[in-house]
Amino acid sequence: MTRFLRRALTVFFILAFCITTPLVVLYTSGYSYSWKKHRVEKTGIIHAVTTPAKAAILLNGETQAGTTPYDFTRLLPEEYRVRFEAPGYFPWEKNVAVTSGETTFVTGTMVKDALPELRFPATPTASAFTDDAHGAAMITDDGARAMLVVQRSDRAAAVTLASLPTGAGRDAVITWAPDAAHVLLAHRSGTPGVMAYDALGNAPSADLSAITGNRVITASWSDDGSRAIAVTARGVYAVDPVTRTAVAAVPGLGIRDALMQGRTAYVLRAGEDAVTLERTTVSSTGPSPVPDVLATLPSGGYRFLHRASPYLLLAEDVRGRIIALSPSDGSRLDDVNGSDARWLAGAKYPLLAWNDFEITVANPASRTHQLVTRLSTPITGCAWHPSGESVFYATPTGIVNVDLDPREPKNAYELAKFTSVGAFAVDGAAGLLRFTGEVGNGKGLYERAF
């Protein structure tokens, strides 16, 4: 080898070292060259997780060698289309923006592609489910006779609690006790009345008006289900449906609604130009002598939402708002559009609120809200997916699951399309939707895996 060639090779290797070393350092530091932008940029990561796990992954339409959970590494900062697919499930996809030097998280809750199954043929005209969806109480009416029946998921046969006049279900409200031991049946027109029934049919019914000696305006359950809380023109009574005895919990006029938590009773009392929120302690013989006034609210159509939550939840029907109040001092913490609500502890936005045409989730602690969807079709009910990543909602003819991730596209799946849909509930443990509905000649209680 000549002297000139040796010098040339030495210069070449020095230059190669000077060029490649920075490139290697940049590469190992997470940098890459963007041919679109013609510059070096720091890359990012997409961390993808699905329920269920082991879903196939596509990035910008290209199938990846792996399943969830999965990390897309060394991605240039731009927008990507992430899609998950699994046998027997609807696909799930989002447009995901990657930021330089950061990890972007994608959580996909996939929903099964399944058909509803008729579990209990009936002609339900009113229905309600237990919170865990294990029990359904229905008024069935075939035009010849009407009955109040209970169907439990752990029992093959339904239990008939009462025979009713035909047409009774059109204006009836059924309310389960939190312990699922009893149900209330209230009629809103005709001859108003509220009856309490043993859900297993092992005891006679209890007429709350007869037990209290007053016409019951509205009724609900205490938080443990041991007592029915009856609001009358003369005050609030705590009724034991087993012994058929009543205690005057909160006496006085103008009480619109009541809520019982343990021995503490909260009432909404209407005055001339305001509504007061009052709190009192109820013993076995009656209330404490002087209730505490926690808050004074502007005149309006307020009622309690009997939902387990760390707050007192009120519905204000005139303005269409859900109000969250502190149970300790009655301070107003937040309010959100809605006529009804559900609570899911541990969720980013634990308050799910809805009205006829829109669904919102909110966190009263931080006063943050997120619009989930707005529809032109009336919304008849909502429920949480157990993951807290999506919600179910019902319209008069179907049930839909929609995700809460605000990134597009919005994943919305029609899970049931019927002639009519009644009440529905979510059995999170079994992964089942239970609902009443009608399609063609099929009517009754349905189940659908999600």
Side-chain angles (χ1 to χ4, degrees):
M1 181 180 296
T2 66
R3 185 176 182 182
F4 174 78
L5 184 57
R6 286 198 302 271
R7 287 181 177 179
L9 288 174
T10 301
V11 172
F12 173 79
F13 284 119
I14 291 173
L15 290 174
F17 177 81
C18 292
I19 294 172
T20 58
T21 298
L23 293 177
V24 171
V25 171
L26 286 172
Y27 183 85
T28 56
S29 299
Y31 287 85
S32 185
Y33 186 78
S34 172
W35 294 100
K36 290 182 180 179
K37 302 175 185 177
H38 302 292
R39 67 189 183 198
V40 175
E41 293 184 304
K42 190 172 181 61
T43 59
I45 297 172
I46 294 178
H47 179 67
V49 178
T50 61
T51 302
K54 298 189 180 303
I57 313 158
L58 289 84
L59 185 67
N60 289 345
E62 295 184 4
T63 302
Q64 305 301 300
T67 58
T68 56
Y70 190 88
D71 286 327
F72 299 95
T73 59
R74 307 195 58 79
L75 296 175
L76 288 166
E78 57 186 72
E79 190 169 85
Y80 297 85
R81 175 65 68 95
V82 177
R83 180 181 174 94
F84 305 126
E85 297 179 352
Y89 288 82
F90 291 112
W92 191 100
E93 58 185 314
K94 285 290 173 183
N95 294 328
V96 181
V98 172
T99 303
S100 293
E102 296 184 6
T103 298
T104 302
F105 295 90
V106 179
T107 302
T109 300
M110 305 182 73
V111 178
K112 286 185 178 179
D113 185 1
L115 294 175
E117 297 183 24
L118 182 61
R119 294 302 187 191
F120 178 67
T123 52
T125 56
S127 55
F129 288 87
T130 56
D131 287 340
D132 60 8
H134 292 174
M138 301 173 285
I139 294 179
T140 65
D141 191 341
D142 61 6
R145 63 172 183 167
M147 298 179 295
L148 175 63
V149 300
V150 164
Q151 176 69 52
R152 292 179 176 268
S153 59
D154 58 351
R155 293 171 177 261
V159 176
T160 300
L161 303 184
S163 294
L164 304 169
T166 298
R170 286 193 295 269
D171 68 341
V173 177
I174 304 170
T175 308
W176 276 93
D179 62 0
H182 293 82
V183 293
L184 288 176
L185 176 61
H187 297 283
R188 293 178 292 192
S189 63
T191 304
V194 181
M195 304 291 292
Y197 296 91
D198 181 290
L200 296 178
N202 294 330
S205 61
D207 185 334
L208 270 59
S209 294
I211 294 171
T212 61
N214 295 277
R215 185 177 71 84
V216 175
I217 300 170
T218 185
S220 57
W221 291 102
S222 61
D223 61 345
D224 62 359
S226 63
R227 290 164 290 179
I229 310 304
V231 178
T232 75
R234 295 185 179 182
V236 179
Y237 293 83
V239 180
D240 186 327
V242 177
T243 63
R244 292 171 183 73
T245 57
V247 171
V250 186
L253 306 177
I255 297 177
R256 289 183 173 177
D257 201 4
L259 175 71
M260 185 78 76
Q261 295 180 343
R263 294 177 56 198
T264 302
Y266 297 90
V267 300
L268 295 167
R269 193 188 302 269
E272 291 185 2
D273 55 3
V275 175
T276 57
L277 171 65
E278 301 175 9
R279 178 181 62 193
T280 189
T281 301
V282 180
S283 69
S284 58
T285 57
S288 60
V290 181
D292 298 323
V293 177
L294 296 184
T296 301
L297 306 170
S299 293
Y302 300 95
R303 55 187 170 85
F304 288 108
L305 296 182
H306 297 265
R307 310 297 189 197
S309 84
Y311 307 104
L312 297 176
L313 299 179
L314 304 183
E316 204 281 279
D317 293 327
V318 174
R319 296 191 306 125
R321 304 290 287 177
I322 303 297
I323 304 169
L325 302 177
S326 166
S328 59
D329 59 13
S331 59
R332 191 185 188 112
L333 303 175
D334 198 8
D335 64 271
V336 60
N337 287 336
S339 57
D340 204 349
R342 298 278 183 179
W343 185 268
L344 181 65
K348 179 181 179 181
Y349 298 99
L351 182 64
L352 166 63
W354 68 93
N355 56 28
D356 287 347
F357 299 104
E358 70 177 30
I359 303 170
T360 305
V361 289
N363 189 333
S366 59
R367 295 181 64 89
T368 53
H369 304 168
Q370 177 184 311
L371 178 68
V372 177
T373 189
R374 186 177 286 121
L375 305 174
S376 58
T377 302
I379 299 165
T380 59
C382 285
W384 278 105
H385 188 285
S387 68
E389 300 289 341
S390 66
V391 299
F392 302 98
Y393 68 85
T395 69
T397 58
I399 299 176
V400 177
N401 177 267
V402 59
D403 70 47
L404 301 185
D405 191 325
R407 295 170 291 196
E408 293 295 329
K410 180 70 73 174
N411 290 289
Y413 312 107
E414 187 171 62
L415 307 185
K417 186 172 179 61
F418 278 60
T419 305
S420 65
V421 173
F424 80 98
V426 177
D427 183 344
L432 291 172
L433 280 175
R434 293 193 172 95
F435 56 95
T436 55
E438 174 184 351
V439 56
N441 295 324
K443 304 177 184 179
L445 174 63
Y446 287 81
E447 288 182 354
R448 185 202 187 281
F450 64 81

